[in-house]
Amino acid sequence: MKMTMRILTALFTGIFSQTQASQGEKVDYPAPAVSGINQDGAKVDFSELYKKGPVVVFFYPKANTPGCTKQACSLRDAFADLSKDGVQVLGVSFDTPDAQKKFKADFTLPYDLIADPEGKIVEAFKVERMVKGLLNLATRQCFLIKNGKVVWQDKKASTAEQAADIKRVLSELK
């Protein structure tokens, strides 16, 4: 049993963690006008959030896995600083609202996590999918939306450095 757990832990760590940071790229195209259900079952209209200021939308493979937790906690730890600049944060994965709620509670995440079990938001943002066994997963990516336009995207988003990447891009855009 211990050996099985070690193998599963190694497998999940390899699948869900990513330590190499990417610089991302500056872009300029309309942000997808989508909506989804958050961890509490409430509808979140992305277009309404875009009107309120900059929005970070980050995609992650699976809630409560090592790399996804690092990415989410990076944004959690910088949330106060990001909020000072009016930045809103949304996390998106194929997980259910209940899984998102548990992830949010387990790590005291101060932002909404959006459940996208059908992959409609993943598709709208053109985030690549990956299939691992029976799991349908989004690849780890991050987008910064400003004035209704995607102004930066990172198709190989960092885990532990996600917030630092966002702060760097925000300072470059000023």
Side-chain angles (χ1 to χ4, degrees), residues 3-142:
M3 182 59 127
T4 302
M5 289 305 292
R6 284 184 195 156
I7 292 169
L8 287 174
T9 299
L11 177 65
F12 273 93
T13 299
I15 291 171
F16 299 115
S17 67
Q18 178 177 337
T19 57
Q20 187 176 18
S22 171
Q23 295 298 310
E25 64 180 321
K26 290 182 182 171
V27 294
D28 184 15
Y29 60 88
V34 293
S35 62
I37 302 299
N38 73 6
Q39 69 284 337
D40 298 318
K43 182 179 177 182
V44 176
D45 184 336
F46 285 41
S47 295
E48 289 302 312
L49 293 179
Y50 302 158
K51 294 175 187 176
K52 296 177 183 177
V55 179
V56 170
V57 180
F58 72 100
F59 292 83
Y60 54 95
K62 186 99 177 111
N64 275 311
T65 57
C68 300
T69 299
K70 285 180 185 177
Q71 183 183 24
C73 289
S74 168
L75 290 162
R76 175 201 64 198
D77 296 345
F79 189 74
D81 287 341
L82 292 171
S83 294
K84 287 178 191 171
D85 289 330
V87 177
Q88 304 156 90
V89 177
L90 294 174
V92 181
S93 73
F94 281 100
D95 292 297
T96 64
D98 287 341
Q100 300 289 43
K101 187 172 194 153
K102 181 176 179 351
F103 189 32
K104 181 174 174 137
D106 286 352
F107 295 97
T108 318
L109 303 175
Y111 46 80
D112 277 341
L113 298 178
I114 308 301
D116 190 24
E118 295 174 7
K120 291 179 182 178
I121 300 167
V122 167
E123 185 176 312
F125 275 86
K126 296 181 173 65
V127 172
E128 290 182 34
R129 297 178 185 218
M130 58 182 167
V131 178
K132 298 290 183 187
L134 299 175
L135 299 175
N136 194 17
L137 309 167
T139 57
R140 189 178 319 285
Q141 294 191 33
C142 188

